[in-house]
Amino acid sequence: MFKFLNSLFGSNNGNETLKNIMKDGAYLVDVRTPSEFASGHVKGSVNIPLNVIQNKVSSLKSKKHIVVFCRSGARSAQAKAILERNGLKNIYNGGTWQKVNKLKNEP
């Protein structure tokens, strides 16, 4: 059960892995609503709300690494599953946008 929850919420990806793929130019996707995104977001991230991510699969296929994140990690887990079901690889659940922001700004 614990392993399942880790994979669902992305903690098994590890902070160092996330940090490294972000340094390598990962595509950062915030899956919160536009109003949530407007209230604060990771610099350089794009807003693709969870309810429309299925429609954006083709535009994401060329990305080497994709980090999805949201407010709590639940919507990003759903986004990761949707993207993987549609054949995308190298999708990482970053969890919360604050965590991704902190890791992105660490030296």
Side-chain angles (χ1 to χ4, degrees):
M1 175 83 163
F2 185 70
K3 186 176 180 180
F4 168 75
L5 290 173
N6 276 344
S7 68
L8 182 66
F9 291 101
S11 60
N12 67 334
N13 288 333
N15 288 346
E16 285 304 310
T17 300
L18 282 173
K19 215 166 142 176
N20 289 334
I21 64 167
M22 285 190 284
K23 284 183 181 181
D24 192 35
Y27 196 65
L28 303 177
V29 179
D30 189 324
V31 299
R32 297 176 299 152
T33 65
S35 62
E36 287 175 298
F37 185 80
S39 70
H41 60 272
V42 178
K43 185 177 180 180
S45 65
V46 297
N47 183 221
I48 305 176
L50 178 63
N51 66 329
V52 299
I53 202 151
Q54 177 79 39
N55 302 331
K56 302 291 184 179
V57 170
S58 62
S59 68
L60 298 172
K61 287 189 177 188
S62 65
K63 307 302 181 195
K64 182 178 176 183
H65 297 288
I66 300 171
V67 177
V68 291
F69 50 93
C70 61
R71 184 180 54 83
S72 68
R75 284 177 282 180
S76 54
Q78 292 174 37
K80 180 180 188 292
I82 289 167
L83 295 174
E84 289 178 337
R85 276 196 309 268
N86 283 276
L88 276 73
K89 306 288 184 218
N90 296 319
I91 310 297
Y92 301 86
N93 181 356
T96 69
W97 77 270
Q98 292 96 336
K99 173 185 165 186
V100 171
N101 194 47
K102 179 181 179 221
L103 290 173
K104 184 175 187 281
N105 292 311
E106 284 181 355

